[in-house]
Amino acid sequence: PWCNADVFHKASIQKTFTSVIAELQQTKLIVVGPDNLKRLKPILPYVKFVDVPPRNAYLSMERITRDVLSAVDGLHEHATVSISAGMPAKLLINELHTRLKGQHTLIDFGSVWDPFVGVTSRKYMRDPEHERTVREAISQMSKEEGKA
């Protein structure tokens, strides 16, 4: 089933996105995105990272698909795949869903992770209130990670 990706941006704006992060911390997570998203590791402990070029990602679709399939195959259990790959993300999810036969959770998070790694790629991310919310979420998640 597909859902509107804006649900995550809206949750981020409405200060409810930390519950999504908390759930993702409990899963075998694979992050698919540009290199700067590797900095998510302290608050979002992923087990695998698949690099996506920051521009023209569609030119690397075959390699990205192969790398995600390899990452999932190496886990031998259910995984959640967080995808931030621009316009090609939808094509990638469609291909992966077909190839993985619905055995894993595939989520297009779009740019929602950007402010968590210091990138303000959208207007709402430059709002001081949103910036404060992200800082608080990072602080909260870091504290919770330290307890584990």
Side-chain angles (χ1 to χ4, degrees), residues 64-82:
I64 296 166
T65 301
R66 249 189 343 266
D67 289 354
V68 172
L69 291 171
S70 175
V72 167
D73 188 48
L75 293 178
H76 305 292
E77 59 186 291
H78 179 269
T80 300
V81 183
S82 165

Side-chain angles (χ1 to χ4, degrees), residues 20-108:
V20 175
I21 295 171
E23 288 300 317
L24 290 171
Q25 289 174 330
Q26 305 303 312
T27 68
K28 296 291 182 189
L29 181 66
I30 298 169
V31 174
V32 180
D35 192 60
N36 64 352
L37 293 188
K38 287 180 180 175
R39 296 190 309 245
L40 286 171
K41 189 91 172 183
I43 62 162
L44 203 61
Y46 52 84
V47 295
K48 303 276 185 175
F49 188 92
V50 175
D51 189 54
V52 172
R55 289 185 176 34
N56 299 323
Y58 61 90
L59 296 174
S60 300
M61 285 289 293
E62 287 182 29
R63 189 229 1 118
I64 296 166
T65 301
R66 249 189 343 266
D67 289 354
V68 172
L69 291 171
S70 175
V72 167
D73 188 48
L75 293 178
H76 305 292
E77 59 186 291
H78 179 269
T80 300
V81 183
S82 165
I83 300 173
S84 297
M87 294 298 287
K90 285 138 186 63
L91 299 171
L92 181 61
I93 287 176
N94 191 56
E95 178 68 19
L96 291 171
H97 180 72
T98 300
R99 305 261 303 263
L100 295 170
K101 298 175 178 33
Q103 296 174 1
H104 302 279
T105 303
L106 308 169
I107 304 173
D108 178 1

Side-chain angles (χ1 to χ4, degrees), residues 6-18 20 112 133:
D6 285 341
V7 69
F8 301 117
H9 293 113
K10 289 177 183 173
S12 183
I13 292 167
Q14 296 167 352
K15 302 181 183 183
T16 58
F17 193 65
T18 54
V20 175
V112 79
T133 299

Side-chain angles (χ1 to χ4, degrees), residues 22 28 33 47 66 74-75 85 116-117 125-126 141:
K28 296 291 182 189
V47 295
R66 249 189 343 266
L75 293 178
F116 291 88
V117 296
M125 295 174 184
R126 291 185 280 278
M141 293 295 131

